[in-house]
Amino acid sequence: MRDPQEVAEISELLVVLLVILAFFLLLGGVGVFLLVKLGKKAAVKAKQATTRLSTHVNAMGTGDAAEVERLRLDLRREVSLTRQAVDHAQRLGWGLGDLPRLMADLTAQADVHDGQLGMYAQQRRMSPYVDHATLDRLREHQAKLTAMCARIRADLLGDQVHHTAAGIADLGSRTDLEIEARRHAPDPLDQIDDLYRRSMEERKDRP
């Protein structure tokens, strides 16, 4: 029959081993979860990169399908530049009002338009029949969206130039004040010495 103390030690050892095993199982579960999550993100990014590359390749061709692919690239560039301008203004703390929300809505609408352009380009590559009416409407929507982006950027650039002008004016005033403060006031003794020297020179010049 085993000693009770020996049994207790064995029980404690088993508890410790079970705790260590549970800890490693927990770490393994967390590791698997992170790997799955990273894998999904990598798959999404790879799909996006493939889509962008495909768009660039298709845009190098000729015909309506290639033109539509170029429209997609132009719109993405315009939206990206505009979003960067809005984000930059937000970081500077400018009062943008509802502009960030407007930019989000514009981005969502641009994504819808991009999908429509992609669908048209795919159909145009697969079918010889041209739907001129739809293509004209897509071009019209493209022009409106890019014009909105240009207007937003122009307005933000105007604000930036205004802020810069105010900063330059303030810097100029401070520069004038600093230069004026650094100028030494004339010493009265130097002025007296100068007057005395001039009077002596005038006496010497007299016949």
Side-chain angles (χ1 to χ4, degrees):
M1 186 173 181
R2 292 178 179 269
D3 183 30
Q5 183 177 1
E6 184 180 355
V7 172
E9 291 178 355
I10 293 175
S11 299
E12 290 179 0
L13 180 61
L14 289 175
V15 170
V16 171
L17 290 176
L18 288 174
V19 170
I20 293 175
L21 180 61
F23 178 72
F24 278 110
L25 287 175
L26 179 62
L27 285 180
V30 172
V32 170
F33 173 76
L34 291 177
L35 287 176
V36 171
K37 192 172 182 180
L38 291 174
K40 289 182 178 179
K41 287 186 177 180
V44 171
K45 289 185 178 180
K47 184 178 180 180
Q48 293 175 349
T50 302
T51 303
R52 287 195 296 267
L53 179 61
S54 175
T55 303
H56 280 279
V57 172
N58 292 330
M60 295 178 183
T62 58
D64 293 336
E67 177 193 351
V68 171
E69 296 290 2
R70 287 192 290 272
L71 290 178
R72 298 179 72 188
L73 294 176
D74 290 341
L75 182 60
R76 292 174 187 175
R77 181 178 62 253
E78 291 294 317
V79 172
S80 178
L81 289 173
T82 308
R83 188 186 301 112
Q84 291 176 17
V86 173
D87 292 343
H88 178 69
Q90 277 187 307
R91 287 194 297 269
L92 294 178
W94 297 355
L96 298 180
D98 200 38
L99 186 57
R101 177 61 186 171
L102 175 65
M103 188 65 223
D105 294 341
L106 177 59
T107 301
Q109 190 61 53
D111 290 339
V112 172
H113 181 65
D114 180 77
Q116 294 171 351
L117 289 173
M119 187 180 301
Y120 182 89
Q122 182 181 12
Q123 293 176 0
R124 185 66 186 89
R125 284 191 294 268
M126 297 176 62
S127 173
Y129 301 102
V130 183
D131 184 359
H132 292 291
T134 300
L135 180 57
D136 290 340
R137 292 185 64 187
L138 289 173
R139 288 169 176 161
E140 180 183 351
H141 293 169
Q142 174 90 6
K144 290 180 179 179
L145 289 170
T146 53
M148 291 179 204
C149 291
R151 288 175 59 192
I152 292 174
R153 293 201 307 273
D155 182 69
L156 291 175
L157 183 58
D159 285 346
Q160 185 176 1
V161 171
H162 174 73
H163 284 285
T164 302
I168 292 175
D170 177 69
L171 185 61
S173 300
R174 289 170 52 197
T175 301
D176 294 339
L177 291 174
E178 182 64 24
I179 292 175
E180 188 65 27
R182 289 174 58 83
R183 291 177 180 172
H184 299 292
D187 190 349
L189 294 178
D190 292 339
Q191 290 182 331
I192 293 174
D193 290 342
D194 185 56
L195 290 174
Y196 177 76
R197 185 173 59 258
R198 289 182 181 179
S199 62
M200 292 298 295
E201 291 176 354
E202 289 176 358
R203 288 180 182 179
K204 290 180 181 179
D205 293 339
R206 290 177 184 176

